[in-house]
Amino acid sequence: QVQLVESGGGSVQSGGSLRLSCAASGYTYSSYCMGWFRQAPGKEREGVAAIDSDGSTSYADSVKGRFTISRDNAKNTMYLQMNSLEPEDTAMYYCAAQPWVAVYIAGLHPGRYMFWGQGTQVTVSS
């Protein structure tokens, strides 16, 4: 059974940094495309960043240059380093996984990911 558990969320001031983690279990982690998504109140879930088994990445324009996605296959863990945070980054952040697909296919589309974590809240104050 696939399980994804996010951690690392919290409250920071504008300009601050946070590092999110997503611990995965129950499947061959290295073969999955992994993604970070976020959802603010009253808004649709949107893709933030994704990384596939080859290490290819994709980022939303709004986070390019500020966020970095990475994965450690030995630890079955994915990370999202978030720098220069802005109030607009405030949202519930979710990690997701999709087996046997490249990032150029799954991309940042929530509907293309099968497994989801419960989320971790990120709040950025001005």
Side-chain angles (χ1 to χ4, degrees):
Q1 183 176 355
V2 176
Q3 285 192 319
L4 302 172
V5 179
E6 303 95 336
S7 62
S11 297
V12 297
Q13 289 191 326
S14 182
S17 298
L18 283 173
R19 187 195 196 201
L20 305 183
S21 299
C22 173
S25 62
Y27 64 98
T28 306
Y29 174 79
S30 61
S31 65
Y32 277 53
C33 183
M34 304 291 296
W36 285 102
F37 296 81
R38 66 187 181 186
Q39 188 166 17
K43 295 187 176 182
E44 293 186 353
R45 190 168 298 189
E46 64 174 357
V48 175
I51 184 168
D52 66 17
S53 57
D54 291 334
S56 297
T57 59
S58 178
Y59 292 93
D61 288 342
S62 60
V63 306
K64 283 181 181 177
R66 300 189 298 123
F67 292 9
T68 302
I69 190 171
S70 62
R71 64 191 294 168
D72 185 336
N73 290 339
K75 296 182 178 180
N76 286 2
T77 303
M78 174 179 65
Y79 305 97
L80 185 68
Q81 178 66 45
M82 305 187 295
N83 298 328
S84 301
L85 283 161
E86 304 167 351
E88 293 74 21
D89 296 316
T90 295
M92 184 72 78
Y93 282 70
Y94 300 90
C95 72
Q98 178 64 26
W100 301 110
V101 68
V103 72
Y104 75 89
I105 294 176
L108 302 177
H109 306 282
R112 297 180 182 176
Y113 288 79
M114 184 180 303
F115 303 104
W116 291 83
Q118 294 300 306
T120 185
Q121 178 67 38
V122 171
T123 302
V124 185
S125 58
S126 57

